[in-house]
Amino acid sequence: MDTTASGPALLKQLPPPLPAERIIAVNQPKADLHTTRSHEWNGWTFEVPPGVFMPGWTSRMIHERLLDGRIDVRGRRYGAMGVGLGVEAVVAGVRGAREIHAIDIHPESVATTVRHYERLVGEREGTALIPVVGDLFDGLPEGVRLDVVTFNPPAVSQTVSDDPDVVRNVCVGASLPARFFAQLNEKDLLAPGGEVFLVVSNTADLHTIIRHALDQGFTPRIDHLHDWQDGVVTFLFRLTRGGRA
Ligand SMILES: C[S@@+](CC[C@H](N)C(=O)[O-])C[C@H]1O[C@@H](n2cnc3c(N)ncnc32)[C@H](O)[C@@H]1O
């Protein structure tokens, strides 16, 4: 696969979703979602309350890049979509983002993010955490524009559980990233030069997701591709507006 392809040429190369039974097998929900768990990363310990998503290897692809600057948030306005436990917000605070919009539809995830941020980052001049509970960008204050947005969406294409918390965390499907791109476009949320980083695998309908991004005027490129050697291939897409790279 030509990992330098962009736009419609990239779309043509994307793999189809894995067979349904394979998707269901690799996304079996853990039985402990409704318990308090613990997440350790980068020397930090995060308590994970019931219902809050436990970051996995895919989450880490974004967390590591925020930390080492491959996703640059310093001095920038950052939207952490579907922030979950809040690791992205903590890293962005440590890195000195100007604004950190920590967004999730799940109030307990946003409250958890605030707690971890206050504990690990605290007051920092030139950096503001703005917690937002809402469906995608609906709760964002008027007039906000963003320089960088990350999203690890619950885009798995098969319903792997009838537990609404599992669905919210894992398998809403391609309709969510589709609405995400439509809102970014219609609300004109991305500042000039802005970047969107979206992490999705072939357990999701990659074609539909990237086609929606193209329809909304984004130019997608593969920033990173990881083959887990079990049939699952995860893509970190970097999307910009129009033809700009
Ligand atoms: C796969 S988890 C990712 C969490 C965290 N970013 C990470 O990588 O560890 C998806 C997150 O999206 C949130 N979410 C689901 N639907 C949403 C929506 N419509 N608007 C905002 N957030 C949503 C979930 O509550 C969950 O926290």
Side-chain angles (χ1 to χ4, degrees):
M1 132 163 243
D2 173 12
T3 54
T4 62
S6 71
L10 167 62
L11 187 62
K12 279 202 207 119
Q13 298 190 36
L14 294 173
L18 285 171
E21 54 296 349
R22 184 80 194 119
I23 294 177
I24 292 167
V26 296
N27 282 288
Q28 274 310 295
K30 291 219 179 88
D32 62 0
L33 177 62
H34 297 288
T35 66
T36 300
R37 294 141 294 152
S38 179
H39 175 64
E40 303 221 355
W41 180 71
N42 193 43
W44 293 315
T45 302
F46 297 82
E47 187 177 276
V48 188
V52 173
F53 182 80
M54 173 74 135
W57 291 102
T58 304
S59 317
R60 216 167 276 201
M61 284 169 69
I62 288 183
H63 299 163
E64 285 168 356
R65 284 168 176 75
L66 288 168
L67 186 66
D68 68 18
R70 279 175 287 171
I71 301 179
D72 188 12
V73 291
R74 285 167 309 167
R76 301 175 89 191
R77 296 160 293 183
Y78 169 48
M81 179 53 71
V83 70
L85 181 60
V87 179
E88 293 98 302
V90 168
V91 181
V94 168
R95 293 287 292 170
R98 181 167 19 133
E99 295 171 9
I100 305 160
H101 298 270
I103 308 165
D104 208 290
I105 198 166
H106 182 226
E108 182 54 24
S109 288
V110 176
T112 303
T113 295
V114 171
R115 281 199 300 277
H116 289 312
Y117 186 94
E118 286 174 351
R119 181 174 60 88
L120 296 168
V121 184
E123 284 297 319
R124 191 187 154 128
E125 206 182 311
T127 295
L129 177 74
I130 301 118
V132 181
V133 177
D135 179 16
L136 294 172
F137 296 102
D138 280 355
L140 217 58
E142 269 310 296
V144 167
R145 295 196 96 197
L146 301 167
D147 300 300
V148 58
V149 180
T150 61
F151 195 17
N152 172 17
V156 169
S157 61
Q158 301 294 322
T159 306
V160 299
S161 166
D162 54 14
D163 177 338
D165 284 314
V166 173
V167 173
R168 169 180 54 74
N169 282 331
V170 178
C171 55
V172 177
S175 62
L176 189 63
R179 287 199 297 119
F180 166 80
F181 288 119
Q183 287 196 7
L184 275 169
N185 182 26
E186 285 155 16
K187 295 175 188 257
D188 196 21
L189 292 171
L190 213 54
E195 311 169 275
V196 177
F197 290 88
L198 178 84
V199 68
V200 264
S201 79
N202 57 347
T203 64
D205 186 344
L206 292 167
H207 279 95
T208 301
I209 293 168
I210 295 304
R211 190 171 36 74
H212 279 294
L214 287 166
D215 289 348
Q216 296 295 332
F218 288 88
T219 300
R221 285 177 196 280
I222 298 172
D223 193 71
H224 182 70
L225 186 158
H226 189 86
D227 185 338
W228 303 95
Q229 303 295 327
D230 61 356
V232 179
V233 182
T234 300
F235 292 78
L236 177 65
F237 293 105
R238 174 178 176 269
L239 302 105
T240 50
R241 294 296 288 160
R244 284 189 305 260

